[in-house]
Amino acid sequence: MSERRAGITALGRYVPERVVTNADLEKMVATSDEWIRTRTGISQRRYVEPGTPTSELARKAAQEALDRRGISAAELDLIIVATVTPDTIFPATACVLQDKLKATKAWGFDISAACSGFLYALTMGAQFIQNGKHQKVLVVGADVMTSILNFEDRTTCVLFGDGAGAVILEPREDGTGLLDFTHEVDGSGACFLYMPAGGSAMPATHETVDKKLHYVHQQGQHVFKYAVRKFAEVSQTLMERNGVTPADVDLFVAHQANLRIIDAAKERLGFPEEKVVKNIHLYGNTTAGTIPLALGTALDQKRLKKGDLVLLAAVGAGFTVGTALVRWSGVA
Ligand SMILES: CC(C)(COP(=O)(O)OP(=O)(O)OC[C@H]1O[C@@H](n2cnc3c(N)ncnc32)[C@H](O)[C@@H]1OP(=O)(O)O)[C@@H](O)C(=O)NCCC(=O)NCCS
């Protein structure tokens, strides 16, 4: 028997029904389908009905994962929700979700790591499985980005969508599960992608609302350059540390922020196209949702089977960085 590891044993997803195409956005801001597609790879994204909280998307994704696994929420030990659009600043969305799911014995908390949030939550949850303290951990990445988008700012509003994904982690002793991970933070990059107001540094006032400071603010080019460099650098580090080459990796699942960033990482790392998962054209950047949604796309396309070696990578606001090397356990 091999070492006890955290395996992903079920996956659930939820994206809202409402499809918003680039043509729809052309009616709202000075943009074009051609600009959005060529600069980002995005063709459409999903939007919630206004007022839908992140916990609702999280609940639907989580319930699907539970149903697929055939277990009740009451069996969960821990719930971790990665999000930058919590229902409220406090309490944590994990608490709201615990109540909605009736996960009666679970504790939980939120992780704020933006686009790296799901990977932070995954590696965090895995620790409790590996050390034997927990048997079933629910990890959710969910964001309602439309709640913090300025639809007068064409440089940001075209990039994001709403969505959620959830996985269940359980112990595996068959060589599968989370093998290794890396995380980094570079807080000096905070000013390049952030929401200026609404926290203790700048509490909400009429002025902050008038100045539209409760929305995503981004210096796109700076984020772009950092992401291109980091995706390759940290993925390389993780592979080298584990004696793995791109030839050994079956699937590369990167955070879906921009097709050009994914392609640059693919080329720098030397992955052939067939090993790279892409669904950004359908959903845009769903922040904490992208990695589980991309895993779902890979499953739909029958590109993931038990024993496959999967490299996950994300870069996000903070800056935050995450990678994970997973020997796929096979999901329900
Ligand atoms: C946002 C992003 C797509 C912009 O692409 P870019 O090639 O860097 O474009 P620039 O910012 O240089 O803008 C080029 C021009 O397009 C214009 N432009 C910006 N958004 C536009 C839009 N939606 N439609 C049309 N034109 C647009 C700019 O105003 C600029 O015009 P100018 O040359 O007249 O000043 C790109 O920088 C990016 O993807 N950054 C990373 C974002 C990201 O991943 N964020 C999530 C964190 S992981």
Side-chain angles (χ1 to χ4, degrees):
M1 241 179 353
S2 81
E3 190 181 325
R4 177 181 166 112
R5 294 202 175 96
I8 295 175
T9 59
L11 183 108
R13 288 170 277 169
Y14 177 74
V15 288
E17 276 174 27
R18 186 173 160 214
V19 176
V20 175
T21 64
N22 293 345
D24 293 327
L25 287 176
E26 283 176 3
K27 293 173 203 142
M28 296 160 77
V29 283
T31 191
S32 68
D33 173 53
E34 209 253 331
W35 191 96
I36 300 172
R37 271 190 299 102
T38 54
R39 298 289 177 126
T40 73
I42 301 166
S43 300
Q44 61 178 55
R45 70 287 290 144
R46 303 294 187 98
Y47 285 0
V48 295
E49 291 308 315
T52 309
T54 293
S55 63
E56 249 333 271
L57 282 65
R59 182 186 68 77
K60 287 176 174 153
Q63 193 60 58
E64 184 181 292
L66 289 165
D67 291 346
R68 284 180 182 270
R69 185 74 185 98
I71 61 172
S72 123
E75 292 180 56
L76 295 172
D77 299 299
L78 168 63
I79 297 172
I80 309 178
V81 177
T83 186
V84 289
T85 51
D87 286 19
T88 50
I89 287 188
F90 77 92
T93 300
C95 302
V96 182
L97 184 60
Q98 180 271 345
D99 185 48
K100 285 188 173 180
L101 291 173
K102 300 286 172 243
T104 42
K105 72 168 184 179
W107 65 294
F109 55 89
D110 290 1
I111 285 187
S112 173
C115 298
S116 307
F118 181 80
L119 288 188
Y120 275 44
L122 181 76
T123 53
M124 178 70 80
Q127 303 313 305
F128 293 97
I129 298 285
Q130 271 167 234
N131 70 17
K133 296 285 183 198
H134 290 329
Q135 302 301 315
K136 288 180 174 57
V137 173
L138 176 69
V139 171
V140 184
D143 271 299
V144 175
M145 293 306 291
T146 49
S147 67
I148 56 168
L149 287 181
N150 177 0
F151 284 97
E152 291 171 4
D153 177 7
R154 67 176 182 175
T155 69
T156 52
C157 74
V158 303
L159 305 174
F160 297 93
D162 301 329
V167 298
I168 294 170
L169 302 180
E170 293 179 83
R172 285 292 176 266
E173 295 182 3
D174 57 0
T176 70
L178 177 67
L179 305 181
D180 197 7
F181 64 89
T182 64
H183 286 305
E184 288 182 17
V185 159
D186 178 0
S188 71
C191 55
F192 299 114
L193 178 52
Y194 73 129
M195 189 168 98
S200 55
M202 200 188 290
T205 61
H206 286 291
E207 194 186 358
T208 61
V209 172
D210 290 344
K211 288 185 170 168
K212 302 191 184 303
L213 298 178
H214 296 270
Y215 294 122
V216 172
H217 285 241
Q218 175 172 250
Q219 291 184 35
Q221 277 192 18
H222 201 95
V223 178
F224 188 94
K225 284 181 195 148
Y226 183 84
V228 165
R229 180 166 61 82
K230 271 295 164 190
F231 266 111
E233 192 184 297
V234 290
S235 299
Q236 196 65 49
T237 302
L238 186 70
M239 284 193 288
E240 275 171 23
R241 193 160 88 190
N242 287 275
V244 166
T245 69
D248 302 314
V249 172
D250 296 293
L251 212 57
F252 178 55
V253 183
H255 167 59
Q256 311 278 307
N258 186 313
L259 190 63
R260 290 185 294 144
I261 297 176
I262 301 169
D263 281 339
K266 176 189 84 174
E267 267 142 45
R268 285 180 184 213
L269 292 165
F271 284 120
E273 181 69 21
E274 63 270 17
K275 289 192 176 182
V276 182
V277 180
K278 295 173 179 173
N279 65 8
I280 187 168
H281 57 293
L282 297 175
Y283 306 125
N285 182 353
T286 55
T287 304
T290 65
I291 298 231
L293 287 174
L295 286 170
T297 295
L299 287 169
D300 290 346
Q301 296 170 345
K302 307 214 181 311
R303 294 165 71 190
L304 255 182
K305 59 180 187 315
K306 186 174 178 187
D308 279 354
L309 192 59
V310 185
L311 175 61
L312 309 172
V315 176
F319 292 118
T320 55
V321 181
T323 62
L325 199 58
V326 174
R327 182 70 69 187
W328 194 248
S329 299
V331 296

